[in-house]
Short mmCIF file of all heavy atoms in Angstrom, two decimals:
data_model
loop_
_atom_site.label_atom_id
_atom_site.label_comp_id
_atom_site.label_asym_id
_atom_site.label_seq_id
_atom_site.Cartn_x
_atom_site.Cartn_y
_atom_site.Cartn_z
N MET A 1 -65.61 72.35 -79.95
CA MET A 1 -66.01 73.74 -80.14
C MET A 1 -64.81 74.60 -80.50
O MET A 1 -63.70 74.31 -80.10
CB MET A 1 -66.66 74.27 -78.86
CG MET A 1 -67.37 75.57 -79.09
SD MET A 1 -68.03 76.29 -77.59
CE MET A 1 -68.50 74.86 -76.65
N ASP A 2 -65.06 75.62 -81.24
CA ASP A 2 -63.99 76.54 -81.63
C ASP A 2 -63.66 77.46 -80.46
O ASP A 2 -64.43 78.32 -80.09
CB ASP A 2 -64.45 77.36 -82.84
CG ASP A 2 -63.31 78.16 -83.44
OD1 ASP A 2 -62.31 78.41 -82.73
OD2 ASP A 2 -63.41 78.53 -84.61
N THR A 3 -62.50 77.25 -79.88
CA THR A 3 -62.16 78.03 -78.69
C THR A 3 -61.82 79.47 -79.05
O THR A 3 -61.90 80.36 -78.22
CB THR A 3 -60.97 77.41 -77.95
OG1 THR A 3 -59.91 77.22 -78.87
CG2 THR A 3 -61.36 76.10 -77.32
N ARG A 4 -61.47 79.72 -80.32
CA ARG A 4 -61.20 81.11 -80.71
C ARG A 4 -62.48 81.93 -80.66
O ARG A 4 -62.48 83.09 -80.32
CB ARG A 4 -60.59 81.15 -82.11
CG ARG A 4 -59.14 80.72 -82.12
CD ARG A 4 -58.62 80.58 -83.52
NE ARG A 4 -59.40 79.58 -84.27
CZ ARG A 4 -59.24 79.31 -85.54
NH1 ARG A 4 -58.35 79.94 -86.24
NH2 ARG A 4 -59.97 78.39 -86.14
N LEU A 5 -63.58 81.29 -81.01
CA LEU A 5 -64.87 81.95 -80.92
C LEU A 5 -65.17 82.30 -79.46
O LEU A 5 -65.64 83.39 -79.16
CB LEU A 5 -65.96 81.03 -81.46
CG LEU A 5 -67.41 81.50 -81.27
CD1 LEU A 5 -67.67 82.75 -82.08
CD2 LEU A 5 -68.39 80.41 -81.65
N LEU A 6 -64.89 81.37 -78.59
CA LEU A 6 -65.18 81.59 -77.18
C LEU A 6 -64.37 82.74 -76.61
O LEU A 6 -64.83 83.45 -75.73
CB LEU A 6 -64.91 80.32 -76.38
CG LEU A 6 -65.94 79.21 -76.62
CD1 LEU A 6 -65.45 77.90 -76.05
CD2 LEU A 6 -67.27 79.59 -76.00
N GLU A 7 -63.17 82.92 -77.12
CA GLU A 7 -62.34 84.02 -76.62
C GLU A 7 -62.93 85.38 -76.95
O GLU A 7 -62.63 86.37 -76.32
CB GLU A 7 -60.92 83.90 -77.19
CG GLU A 7 -60.14 82.78 -76.54
CD GLU A 7 -58.82 82.55 -77.26
OE1 GLU A 7 -58.43 83.38 -78.08
OE2 GLU A 7 -58.20 81.51 -76.99
N LEU A 8 -63.77 85.39 -77.96
CA LEU A 8 -64.39 86.65 -78.35
C LEU A 8 -65.63 86.97 -77.52
O LEU A 8 -66.13 88.09 -77.54
CB LEU A 8 -64.80 86.60 -79.82
CG LEU A 8 -63.65 86.43 -80.81
CD1 LEU A 8 -64.20 86.27 -82.23
CD2 LEU A 8 -62.71 87.61 -80.75
N LEU A 9 -66.11 85.98 -76.82
CA LEU A 9 -67.33 86.18 -76.05
C LEU A 9 -67.04 86.96 -74.78
O LEU A 9 -66.05 86.73 -74.11
CB LEU A 9 -67.94 84.83 -75.67
CG LEU A 9 -68.61 84.08 -76.82
CD1 LEU A 9 -68.97 82.68 -76.36
CD2 LEU A 9 -69.84 84.82 -77.28
N VAL A 10 -67.93 87.86 -74.49
CA VAL A 10 -67.85 88.61 -73.24
C VAL A 10 -69.17 88.45 -72.50
O VAL A 10 -70.19 88.09 -73.07
CB VAL A 10 -67.53 90.10 -73.46
CG1 VAL A 10 -66.16 90.27 -74.10
CG2 VAL A 10 -68.60 90.77 -74.30
N CYS A 11 -69.12 88.79 -71.25
CA CYS A 11 -70.32 88.73 -70.43
C CYS A 11 -71.35 89.72 -70.96
O CYS A 11 -71.02 90.88 -71.20
CB CYS A 11 -69.94 89.06 -68.99
SG CYS A 11 -71.37 89.21 -67.91
N PRO A 12 -72.59 89.29 -71.17
CA PRO A 12 -73.62 90.20 -71.68
C PRO A 12 -74.02 91.27 -70.67
O PRO A 12 -74.63 92.27 -71.03
CB PRO A 12 -74.80 89.26 -71.99
CG PRO A 12 -74.60 88.10 -71.09
CD PRO A 12 -73.11 87.93 -70.94
N ILE A 13 -73.65 91.07 -69.43
CA ILE A 13 -74.05 92.01 -68.38
C ILE A 13 -72.97 93.07 -68.14
O ILE A 13 -73.22 94.26 -68.23
CB ILE A 13 -74.37 91.25 -67.09
CG1 ILE A 13 -75.48 90.25 -67.36
CG2 ILE A 13 -74.76 92.22 -65.97
CD1 ILE A 13 -75.51 89.10 -66.41
N CYS A 14 -71.75 92.59 -67.86
CA CYS A 14 -70.69 93.55 -67.52
C CYS A 14 -69.67 93.71 -68.64
O CYS A 14 -68.74 94.51 -68.51
CB CYS A 14 -70.00 93.11 -66.22
SG CYS A 14 -69.03 91.61 -66.39
N LYS A 15 -69.84 92.95 -69.73
CA LYS A 15 -68.93 93.00 -70.89
C LYS A 15 -67.50 92.58 -70.53
O LYS A 15 -66.56 92.89 -71.24
CB LYS A 15 -68.88 94.40 -71.52
CG LYS A 15 -70.24 95.00 -71.77
CD LYS A 15 -71.06 94.17 -72.72
CE LYS A 15 -72.40 94.85 -73.00
NZ LYS A 15 -73.35 93.91 -73.64
N GLY A 16 -67.39 91.91 -69.42
CA GLY A 16 -66.08 91.42 -68.99
C GLY A 16 -65.74 90.10 -69.65
O GLY A 16 -66.59 89.47 -70.27
N PRO A 17 -64.50 89.67 -69.51
CA PRO A 17 -64.07 88.40 -70.10
C PRO A 17 -64.69 87.21 -69.37
O PRO A 17 -65.00 87.27 -68.18
CB PRO A 17 -62.55 88.42 -69.91
CG PRO A 17 -62.34 89.30 -68.72
CD PRO A 17 -63.43 90.33 -68.77
N LEU A 18 -64.86 86.15 -70.12
CA LEU A 18 -65.45 84.94 -69.55
C LEU A 18 -64.40 83.84 -69.48
O LEU A 18 -63.50 83.75 -70.30
CB LEU A 18 -66.61 84.48 -70.43
CG LEU A 18 -67.80 85.43 -70.47
CD1 LEU A 18 -68.75 85.03 -71.59
CD2 LEU A 18 -68.53 85.43 -69.15
N ASP A 19 -64.55 83.00 -68.49
CA ASP A 19 -63.65 81.87 -68.30
C ASP A 19 -64.39 80.61 -68.75
O ASP A 19 -65.40 80.25 -68.19
CB ASP A 19 -63.26 81.79 -66.82
CG ASP A 19 -62.18 80.76 -66.59
OD1 ASP A 19 -61.47 80.41 -67.55
OD2 ASP A 19 -62.06 80.29 -65.45
N TYR A 20 -63.84 79.98 -69.78
CA TYR A 20 -64.48 78.78 -70.32
C TYR A 20 -64.04 77.56 -69.53
O TYR A 20 -62.86 77.22 -69.51
CB TYR A 20 -64.11 78.64 -71.79
CG TYR A 20 -64.72 77.43 -72.48
CD1 TYR A 20 -66.00 76.99 -72.16
CD2 TYR A 20 -64.03 76.77 -73.46
CE1 TYR A 20 -66.56 75.90 -72.80
CE2 TYR A 20 -64.58 75.68 -74.12
CZ TYR A 20 -65.84 75.24 -73.78
OH TYR A 20 -66.39 74.16 -74.42
N GLN A 21 -64.99 76.94 -68.89
CA GLN A 21 -64.70 75.73 -68.13
C GLN A 21 -65.43 74.57 -68.78
O GLN A 21 -66.55 74.70 -69.23
CB GLN A 21 -65.17 75.88 -66.68
CG GLN A 21 -64.46 77.00 -65.98
CD GLN A 21 -64.66 76.94 -64.47
OE1 GLN A 21 -65.50 76.21 -63.97
NE2 GLN A 21 -63.88 77.71 -63.75
N ARG A 22 -64.77 73.44 -68.78
CA ARG A 22 -65.39 72.26 -69.40
C ARG A 22 -64.79 71.01 -68.80
O ARG A 22 -63.69 71.06 -68.25
CB ARG A 22 -65.16 72.28 -70.91
CG ARG A 22 -63.68 72.27 -71.25
CD ARG A 22 -63.43 72.62 -72.69
NE ARG A 22 -62.17 73.34 -72.83
CZ ARG A 22 -61.58 73.60 -73.98
NH1 ARG A 22 -62.12 73.22 -75.09
NH2 ARG A 22 -60.45 74.27 -74.01
N PRO A 23 -65.49 69.93 -68.95
CA PRO A 23 -64.94 68.66 -68.48
C PRO A 23 -63.65 68.35 -69.21
O PRO A 23 -63.52 68.73 -70.37
CB PRO A 23 -66.03 67.64 -68.87
CG PRO A 23 -67.29 68.46 -69.00
CD PRO A 23 -66.84 69.81 -69.49
N PRO A 24 -62.69 67.65 -68.58
CA PRO A 24 -62.80 67.07 -67.24
C PRO A 24 -62.44 68.05 -66.11
O PRO A 24 -62.45 67.65 -64.96
CB PRO A 24 -61.77 65.94 -67.30
CG PRO A 24 -60.72 66.48 -68.21
CD PRO A 24 -61.45 67.32 -69.23
N HIS A 25 -62.14 69.29 -66.45
CA HIS A 25 -61.75 70.26 -65.42
C HIS A 25 -62.94 70.79 -64.65
O HIS A 25 -62.80 71.30 -63.54
CB HIS A 25 -60.98 71.41 -66.05
CG HIS A 25 -59.81 70.95 -66.86
ND1 HIS A 25 -58.71 70.34 -66.30
CD2 HIS A 25 -59.58 70.97 -68.19
CE1 HIS A 25 -57.87 70.02 -67.26
NE2 HIS A 25 -58.37 70.38 -68.41
N ALA A 26 -64.10 70.71 -65.24
CA ALA A 26 -65.30 71.19 -64.58
C ALA A 26 -66.40 70.14 -64.75
O ALA A 26 -66.30 69.24 -65.60
CB ALA A 26 -65.75 72.51 -65.18
N GLU A 27 -67.41 70.28 -63.95
CA GLU A 27 -68.50 69.31 -63.97
C GLU A 27 -69.24 69.35 -65.30
O GLU A 27 -69.71 68.36 -65.82
CB GLU A 27 -69.45 69.64 -62.82
CG GLU A 27 -70.33 68.48 -62.40
CD GLU A 27 -71.11 68.84 -61.16
OE1 GLU A 27 -70.50 69.34 -60.20
OE2 GLU A 27 -72.33 68.63 -61.17
N ARG A 28 -69.34 70.55 -65.85
CA ARG A 28 -70.05 70.73 -67.10
C ARG A 28 -69.42 71.89 -67.86
O ARG A 28 -68.68 72.68 -67.29
CB ARG A 28 -71.52 71.01 -66.84
CG ARG A 28 -71.74 72.34 -66.14
CD ARG A 28 -73.13 72.45 -65.55
NE ARG A 28 -73.07 72.16 -64.12
CZ ARG A 28 -74.13 72.14 -63.33
NH1 ARG A 28 -75.30 72.35 -63.81
NH2 ARG A 28 -74.00 71.92 -62.05
N ALA A 29 -69.75 72.00 -69.13
CA ALA A 29 -69.23 73.10 -69.93
C ALA A 29 -70.02 74.36 -69.62
O ALA A 29 -71.23 74.40 -69.76
CB ALA A 29 -69.34 72.75 -71.41
N GLU A 30 -69.27 75.38 -69.18
CA GLU A 30 -69.91 76.64 -68.83
C GLU A 30 -68.95 77.78 -69.11
O GLU A 30 -67.74 77.62 -69.09
CB GLU A 30 -70.28 76.68 -67.34
CG GLU A 30 -71.45 75.81 -66.96
CD GLU A 30 -71.72 75.84 -65.47
OE1 GLU A 30 -70.77 75.91 -64.68
OE2 GLU A 30 -72.88 75.78 -65.11
N LEU A 31 -69.54 78.94 -69.32
CA LEU A 31 -68.75 80.16 -69.43
C LEU A 31 -68.98 80.96 -68.16
O LEU A 31 -70.10 81.34 -67.84
CB LEU A 31 -69.18 80.95 -70.67
CG LEU A 31 -68.72 80.32 -71.98
CD1 LEU A 31 -69.56 80.80 -73.14
CD2 LEU A 31 -67.26 80.64 -72.23
N ILE A 32 -67.90 81.21 -67.46
CA ILE A 32 -68.00 81.81 -66.14
C ILE A 32 -67.65 83.29 -66.18
O ILE A 32 -66.62 83.68 -66.70
CB ILE A 32 -67.00 81.11 -65.17
CG1 ILE A 32 -67.16 79.59 -65.22
CG2 ILE A 32 -67.15 81.66 -63.75
CD1 ILE A 32 -68.43 79.06 -64.65
N CYS A 33 -68.53 84.09 -65.59
CA CYS A 33 -68.19 85.49 -65.32
C CYS A 33 -67.94 85.60 -63.83
O CYS A 33 -68.88 85.51 -63.03
CB CYS A 33 -69.31 86.43 -65.74
SG CYS A 33 -68.93 88.14 -65.30
N SER A 34 -66.69 85.77 -63.47
CA SER A 34 -66.37 85.81 -62.05
C SER A 34 -66.81 87.13 -61.42
O SER A 34 -67.06 87.20 -60.23
CB SER A 34 -64.87 85.58 -61.84
OG SER A 34 -64.11 86.47 -62.60
N ALA A 35 -66.93 88.18 -62.24
CA ALA A 35 -67.36 89.47 -61.70
C ALA A 35 -68.82 89.41 -61.26
O ALA A 35 -69.18 89.92 -60.21
CB ALA A 35 -67.16 90.55 -62.75
N ASP A 36 -69.65 88.78 -62.07
CA ASP A 36 -71.08 88.69 -61.75
C ASP A 36 -71.42 87.40 -61.02
O ASP A 36 -72.56 87.22 -60.60
CB ASP A 36 -71.90 88.76 -63.05
CG ASP A 36 -71.85 90.13 -63.68
OD1 ASP A 36 -71.90 91.12 -62.95
OD2 ASP A 36 -71.73 90.21 -64.91
N ARG A 37 -70.44 86.50 -60.93
CA ARG A 37 -70.66 85.19 -60.31
C ARG A 37 -71.81 84.47 -61.00
O ARG A 37 -72.72 83.94 -60.37
CB ARG A 37 -70.93 85.33 -58.81
CG ARG A 37 -69.86 86.14 -58.07
CD ARG A 37 -69.89 85.91 -56.59
NE ARG A 37 -69.40 84.57 -56.25
CZ ARG A 37 -68.12 84.26 -56.16
NH1 ARG A 37 -67.19 85.15 -56.37
NH2 ARG A 37 -67.76 83.04 -55.84
N LEU A 38 -71.73 84.47 -62.32
CA LEU A 38 -72.72 83.76 -63.12
C LEU A 38 -72.02 82.77 -64.03
O LEU A 38 -70.92 83.02 -64.51
CB LEU A 38 -73.52 84.75 -63.97
CG LEU A 38 -74.48 85.68 -63.21
CD1 LEU A 38 -75.07 86.70 -64.17
CD2 LEU A 38 -75.59 84.89 -62.55
N ALA A 39 -72.70 81.66 -64.25
CA ALA A 39 -72.19 80.65 -65.18
C ALA A 39 -73.20 80.47 -66.30
O ALA A 39 -74.35 80.09 -66.06
CB ALA A 39 -71.98 79.33 -64.44
N PHE A 40 -72.75 80.79 -67.50
CA PHE A 40 -73.63 80.65 -68.66
C PHE A 40 -73.47 79.25 -69.24
O PHE A 40 -72.35 78.80 -69.48
CB PHE A 40 -73.28 81.71 -69.71
CG PHE A 40 -73.50 83.11 -69.21
CD1 PHE A 40 -72.45 83.82 -68.63
CD2 PHE A 40 -74.74 83.70 -69.29
CE1 PHE A 40 -72.65 85.11 -68.14
CE2 PHE A 40 -74.95 84.99 -68.81
CZ PHE A 40 -73.91 85.69 -68.23
N PRO A 41 -74.56 78.58 -69.48
CA PRO A 41 -74.47 77.20 -69.97
C PRO A 41 -74.01 77.13 -71.42
O PRO A 41 -74.21 78.08 -72.19
CB PRO A 41 -75.91 76.68 -69.82
CG PRO A 41 -76.77 77.90 -69.92
CD PRO A 41 -75.95 79.02 -69.31
N VAL A 42 -73.39 76.01 -71.76
CA VAL A 42 -73.05 75.72 -73.15
C VAL A 42 -73.86 74.48 -73.53
O VAL A 42 -73.66 73.40 -72.98
CB VAL A 42 -71.54 75.46 -73.32
CG1 VAL A 42 -71.22 75.12 -74.77
CG2 VAL A 42 -70.75 76.68 -72.87
N ARG A 43 -74.78 74.67 -74.44
CA ARG A 43 -75.67 73.58 -74.82
C ARG A 43 -75.41 73.16 -76.25
O ARG A 43 -75.47 73.98 -77.15
CB ARG A 43 -77.14 74.01 -74.67
CG ARG A 43 -77.49 74.24 -73.21
CD ARG A 43 -78.97 74.52 -73.04
NE ARG A 43 -79.23 74.88 -71.65
CZ ARG A 43 -80.07 75.84 -71.27
NH1 ARG A 43 -80.73 76.51 -72.17
NH2 ARG A 43 -80.23 76.12 -70.01
N ASP A 44 -75.11 71.88 -76.42
CA ASP A 44 -74.82 71.35 -77.76
C ASP A 44 -73.73 72.16 -78.44
O ASP A 44 -73.79 72.41 -79.64
CB ASP A 44 -76.09 71.33 -78.62
CG ASP A 44 -77.17 70.45 -78.02
OD1 ASP A 44 -76.83 69.42 -77.41
OD2 ASP A 44 -78.35 70.80 -78.13
N GLY A 45 -72.77 72.62 -77.64
CA GLY A 45 -71.64 73.35 -78.18
C GLY A 45 -71.92 74.82 -78.42
O GLY A 45 -71.05 75.54 -78.89
N LEU A 46 -73.11 75.26 -78.07
CA LEU A 46 -73.45 76.66 -78.28
C LEU A 46 -73.64 77.37 -76.95
O LEU A 46 -74.48 76.96 -76.14
CB LEU A 46 -74.76 76.77 -79.10
CG LEU A 46 -74.68 76.24 -80.53
CD1 LEU A 46 -76.06 76.25 -81.16
CD2 LEU A 46 -73.71 77.07 -81.35
N PRO A 47 -72.88 78.42 -76.73
CA PRO A 47 -73.04 79.16 -75.49
C PRO A 47 -74.37 79.90 -75.44
O PRO A 47 -74.78 80.50 -76.43
CB PRO A 47 -71.86 80.14 -75.49
CG PRO A 47 -71.42 80.23 -76.89
CD PRO A 47 -71.82 78.97 -77.58
N VAL A 48 -75.01 79.82 -74.31
CA VAL A 48 -76.29 80.50 -74.12
C VAL A 48 -76.04 81.74 -73.27
O VAL A 48 -75.90 81.68 -72.06
CB VAL A 48 -77.31 79.57 -73.42
CG1 VAL A 48 -78.66 80.29 -73.27
CG2 VAL A 48 -77.49 78.28 -74.20
N MET A 49 -75.95 82.87 -73.95
CA MET A 49 -75.54 84.10 -73.27
C MET A 49 -76.77 84.90 -72.80
O MET A 49 -76.97 86.03 -73.19
CB MET A 49 -74.66 84.95 -74.20
CG MET A 49 -73.47 84.19 -74.76
SD MET A 49 -72.52 83.36 -73.49
CE MET A 49 -71.87 84.79 -72.64
N LEU A 50 -77.55 84.25 -71.98
CA LEU A 50 -78.74 84.90 -71.45
C LEU A 50 -78.67 84.91 -69.93
O LEU A 50 -78.45 83.86 -69.32
CB LEU A 50 -80.00 84.15 -71.90
CG LEU A 50 -80.28 84.14 -73.40
CD1 LEU A 50 -81.43 83.20 -73.72
CD2 LEU A 50 -80.59 85.54 -73.90
N GLU A 51 -78.90 86.06 -69.36
CA GLU A 51 -78.84 86.15 -67.90
C GLU A 51 -79.89 85.24 -67.27
O GLU A 51 -79.67 84.65 -66.22
CB GLU A 51 -79.07 87.60 -67.47
CG GLU A 51 -78.89 87.80 -65.96
CD GLU A 51 -79.10 89.25 -65.56
OE1 GLU A 51 -79.43 90.08 -66.42
OE2 GLU A 51 -78.93 89.55 -64.37
N SER A 52 -81.03 85.12 -67.93
CA SER A 52 -82.11 84.30 -67.38
C SER A 52 -81.75 82.82 -67.38
O SER A 52 -82.33 82.03 -66.65
CB SER A 52 -83.39 84.52 -68.19
OG SER A 52 -83.18 84.20 -69.55
N GLU A 53 -80.78 82.45 -68.23
CA GLU A 53 -80.37 81.05 -68.29
C GLU A 53 -79.13 80.78 -67.45
O GLU A 53 -78.74 79.63 -67.27
CB GLU A 53 -80.05 80.67 -69.75
CG GLU A 53 -81.24 80.73 -70.68
CD GLU A 53 -82.26 79.65 -70.37
OE1 GLU A 53 -81.85 78.51 -70.09
OE2 GLU A 53 -83.46 79.95 -70.38
N ALA A 54 -78.52 81.82 -66.95
CA ALA A 54 -77.26 81.65 -66.24
C ALA A 54 -77.49 81.07 -64.85
O ALA A 54 -78.53 81.29 -64.22
CB ALA A 54 -76.55 82.98 -66.14
N ARG A 55 -76.49 80.34 -64.41
CA ARG A 55 -76.54 79.75 -63.08
C ARG A 55 -75.81 80.67 -62.12
O ARG A 55 -74.70 81.13 -62.38
CB ARG A 55 -75.84 78.39 -63.13
CG ARG A 55 -75.86 77.62 -61.85
CD ARG A 55 -75.37 76.20 -62.10
NE ARG A 55 -73.95 76.16 -62.50
CZ ARG A 55 -72.95 76.03 -61.62
NH1 ARG A 55 -73.20 75.94 -60.34
NH2 ARG A 55 -71.70 75.98 -62.05
N GLN A 56 -76.46 80.97 -61.01
CA GLN A 56 -75.81 81.78 -59.98
C GLN A 56 -74.77 80.93 -59.27
O GLN A 56 -75.08 79.83 -58.82
CB GLN A 56 -76.85 82.27 -58.97
CG GLN A 56 -76.31 83.27 -57.97
CD GLN A 56 -76.23 84.68 -58.55
OE1 GLN A 56 -77.16 85.16 -59.15
NE2 GLN A 56 -75.10 85.32 -58.37
N LEU A 57 -73.58 81.46 -59.19
CA LEU A 57 -72.51 80.69 -58.56
C LEU A 57 -72.52 80.86 -57.05
O LEU A 57 -72.75 81.95 -56.54
CB LEU A 57 -71.16 81.12 -59.12
CG LEU A 57 -70.97 80.80 -60.60
CD1 LEU A 57 -69.74 81.50 -61.12
CD2 LEU A 57 -70.86 79.31 -60.82
N ASP A 58 -72.23 79.77 -56.43
CA ASP A 58 -72.13 79.77 -54.99
C ASP A 58 -70.97 80.66 -54.54
O ASP A 58 -69.89 80.65 -55.13
CB ASP A 58 -71.91 78.33 -54.52
CG ASP A 58 -71.85 78.23 -53.01
OD1 ASP A 58 -71.96 79.25 -52.32
OD2 ASP A 58 -71.68 77.10 -52.54
N GLU A 59 -71.18 81.41 -53.51
CA GLU A 59 -70.15 82.27 -52.95
C GLU A 59 -68.86 81.52 -52.65
O GLU A 59 -67.77 82.02 -52.81
CB GLU A 59 -70.68 82.92 -51.67
CG GLU A 59 -69.82 84.03 -51.11
CD GLU A 59 -70.12 85.36 -51.79
OE1 GLU A 59 -71.11 85.44 -52.54
OE2 GLU A 59 -69.37 86.30 -51.58
N ASN A 60 -69.03 80.29 -52.24
CA ASN A 60 -67.89 79.49 -51.82
C ASN A 60 -67.44 78.50 -52.87
O ASN A 60 -66.66 77.60 -52.57
CB ASN A 60 -68.24 78.74 -50.53
CG ASN A 60 -68.61 79.70 -49.40
OD1 ASN A 60 -67.92 80.66 -49.18
ND2 ASN A 60 -69.71 79.42 -48.73
N SER A 61 -67.94 78.65 -54.07
CA SER A 61 -67.58 77.71 -55.11
C SER A 61 -66.07 77.72 -55.37
O SER A 61 -65.52 78.76 -55.68
CB SER A 61 -68.31 78.03 -56.40
OG SER A 61 -67.83 77.22 -57.45
N PRO A 62 -65.43 76.60 -55.27
CA PRO A 62 -63.99 76.55 -55.49
C PRO A 62 -63.62 76.66 -56.96
O PRO A 62 -62.48 76.93 -57.30
CB PRO A 62 -63.59 75.18 -54.93
CG PRO A 62 -64.83 74.36 -55.06
CD PRO A 62 -65.99 75.31 -54.90
N ALA A 63 -64.59 76.50 -57.83
CA ALA A 63 -64.30 76.48 -59.26
C ALA A 63 -64.15 77.89 -59.83
O ALA A 63 -63.70 78.06 -60.94
CB ALA A 63 -65.41 75.75 -60.01
N VAL A 64 -64.52 78.88 -59.06
CA VAL A 64 -64.58 80.23 -59.59
C VAL A 64 -63.50 81.11 -58.96
O VAL A 64 -63.22 81.01 -57.76
CB VAL A 64 -65.95 80.86 -59.34
CG1 VAL A 64 -66.01 82.26 -59.88
CG2 VAL A 64 -67.01 79.98 -59.98
N GLY A 65 -62.95 81.95 -59.76
CA GLY A 65 -61.97 82.90 -59.24
C GLY A 65 -60.69 82.26 -58.75
O GLY A 65 -59.97 82.82 -57.96
N ALA A 66 -60.44 81.07 -59.24
CA ALA A 66 -59.26 80.34 -58.77
C ALA A 66 -57.99 80.86 -59.39
O ALA A 66 -56.90 80.62 -58.89
CB ALA A 66 -59.42 78.85 -59.10
N LYS A 67 -58.12 81.60 -60.48
CA LYS A 67 -56.94 82.08 -61.18
C LYS A 67 -56.22 83.20 -60.44
O LYS A 67 -56.86 84.10 -59.98
CB LYS A 67 -57.35 82.59 -62.56
CG LYS A 67 -57.54 81.43 -63.50
CD LYS A 67 -57.37 81.87 -64.95
CE LYS A 67 -58.66 82.27 -65.59
NZ LYS A 67 -58.57 82.44 -67.01
ZN1 ZN B 1 -70.28 89.76 -66.04
#
């Protein structure tokens, strides 16, 4: 995937920056909004920027907000 494209993506809810996580660093390819604690899926290389499709992140998830 073109990572420059991903850098242009912002959260559709808060318009904040997203953290792109992908294997092997993450279990799956996702775009993370740490402010909303949502993970947007990346399917077939295409980010799905829909709140209804986003995964709610666990409060205690070690993968989020680690930076
Ligand atoms: Zn957000």
Side-chain angles (χ1 to χ4, degrees):
M1 194 185 325
D2 189 339
T3 52
R4 285 172 300 175
L5 172 66
L6 288 168
E7 287 171 12
L8 297 175
L9 287 171
V10 296
C11 173
I13 301 156
C14 69
K15 312 299 183 194
L18 294 168
D19 188 22
Y20 181 36
Q21 298 194 347
R22 60 193 147 169
H25 306 293
E27 200 173 312
R28 66 196 99 182
E30 287 177 325
L31 287 159
I32 309 291
C33 176
S34 53
D36 291 320
R37 308 198 71 82
L38 290 173
F40 297 93
V42 179
R43 293 186 186 140
D44 299 325
L46 295 173
V48 182
M49 306 310 293
L50 296 172
E51 185 179 3
S52 59
E53 296 291 319
R55 183 170 66 91
Q56 187 80 48
L57 294 169
D58 182 359
E59 191 84 10
N60 300 313
S61 173
V64 180
K67 281 203 268 191

